[in-house]
Amino acid sequence: MSLAICPGSFDPITLGHLDIIRRASKIFDKVIVCIMYNATKTKPMFTIDERVEMVKKAVADYPNVEVDTYDGLLAEYAKRFDGAVLVKGMRATSDFEYEFQMNHINKKINPALETMFLAASEKYTFLSSSVVREMASYGADLTGFVPPEIMAEINEKAKLWKK
Ligand code: ADP
């Protein structure tokens, strides 16, 4: 059985993330969305439990997608699954430099681990969780940026959120 791991902080999940997860779910038998505790360098907007609930709502229609969390190094997490492939979105050259470096680090820790990059869909090239947090903090309409079923929750949280 082929297995993809889609890692990230998902703070919060965006339609850009969901696009990569959906496409991975068509290529692989199973996809694990792994929400990393330590992936955000800035203060997170959502707790890990809130992020899990939002991702679960967003992927509810994809039967072969599961959600997990991990507090540690992704390359260590991947050792639990034989032959798992990391699947990540590549938005621009700015993503490339970081991802290239991460790939080398992951290979040192777990030489068998491969990373596959899916090119971001054109309409989501400029979308990131930080853009969503920024927009939400100013009360902007998030239509077309985040899954509709979690939009209200993001707007509510943004009212109380201090960066
Ligand atoms: P962000 O960069 O939005 O804070 P994460 O750190 O959670 O998100 O990113 C997790 C993964 O999702 C990374 O591989 C990242 O490249 C990918 N990703 C994030 N946003 C998009 C997008 N708009 N289109 C494609 N891939 C994306």
Side-chain angles (χ1 to χ4, degrees):
M1 189 192 65
S2 61
L3 172 68
I5 300 171
C6 290
S9 42
F10 303 100
D11 184 38
I13 187 167
T14 70
L15 288 180
H17 292 130
L18 196 57
D19 186 56
I20 298 294
I21 295 163
R22 182 189 56 79
R23 288 160 61 195
S25 76
K26 293 202 180 334
I27 302 168
F28 291 85
D29 294 322
K30 185 174 156 184
V31 174
I32 298 177
V33 179
C34 187
I35 306 174
M36 308 298 291
Y37 273 73
N38 56 355
T40 33
K41 284 165 212 88
T42 52
K43 191 180 158 205
M45 184 180 236
F46 294 93
T47 66
I48 197 88
D49 291 341
E50 288 167 336
R51 284 182 264 158
V52 167
E53 284 314 307
M54 286 191 290
V55 175
K56 279 188 176 167
K57 279 184 198 164
V59 303
D61 289 341
Y62 308 143
N64 62 338
V65 178
E66 287 178 14
V67 184
D68 198 4
T69 61
Y70 192 64
D71 188 6
L73 293 169
L74 184 58
E76 292 291 349
Y77 173 79
K79 284 181 183 171
R80 296 175 181 184
F81 313 97
D82 205 25
V85 174
L86 295 182
V87 174
K88 309 198 84 185
M90 182 69 73
R91 282 165 290 192
T93 48
S94 50
D95 273 346
F96 177 81
E97 221 161 294
Y98 174 76
E99 295 296 351
F100 204 66
Q101 191 181 16
M102 278 314 297
N103 179 59
H104 282 299
I105 295 166
N106 287 341
K107 280 274 184 197
K108 277 218 179 306
I109 301 165
N110 182 351
L113 182 60
E114 294 295 351
T115 304
M116 199 180 269
F117 296 100
L118 297 182
S121 296
E122 197 185 355
K123 59 181 171 177
Y124 301 132
T125 303
F126 299 101
L127 183 54
S128 66
S129 296
S130 57
V131 162
V132 167
R133 291 196 298 271
E134 191 72 11
M135 288 177 68
S137 70
Y138 290 106
D141 180 10
L142 299 177
T143 305
F145 295 102
V146 300
E149 55 271 32
I150 61 166
M151 201 181 297
E153 188 177 341
I154 297 171
N155 285 328
E156 269 314 298
K157 186 79 168 197
K159 286 183 197 159
L160 312 165
W161 187 57
K162 293 277 171 291
K163 277 180 262 182

